[in-house]
Amino acid sequence: MVSHRPAIQLSLGSAFALVAGGGALVLVAGAVLVSMLLAVASTAASVAVRAVVVHSILKEHKA
């Protein structure tokens, strides 16, 4: 005899908890990605400022 019941039965509360957990996971992953992007951007800006300063010093030294 073949059973037609679903393999997993979710109550309303457990389905809500699953959706809320997934949403929280997406928010945490987004926050991590945004913080990594900001870290890369601030590092790039710092390197660019240092390059301009070093270039200015070397240019002034040659003259």
Side-chain angles (χ1 to χ4, degrees):
M1 183 176 210
V2 177
S3 174
H4 293 288
R5 283 182 26 194
I8 299 175
Q9 292 179 339
L10 293 175
S11 68
L12 184 60
S14 60
F16 179 74
L18 190 62
V19 169
L25 185 64
V26 167
L27 288 176
V28 168
V32 168
L33 290 175
V34 167
S35 66
M36 288 173 63
L37 177 66
L38 289 174
V40 169
S42 66
T43 302
S46 174
V47 169
V49 167
R50 289 178 188 180
V52 168
V53 169
V54 169
H55 182 266
S56 174
I57 290 171
L58 291 176
K59 188 175 178 183
E60 183 179 300
H61 184 63
K62 284 184 180 179

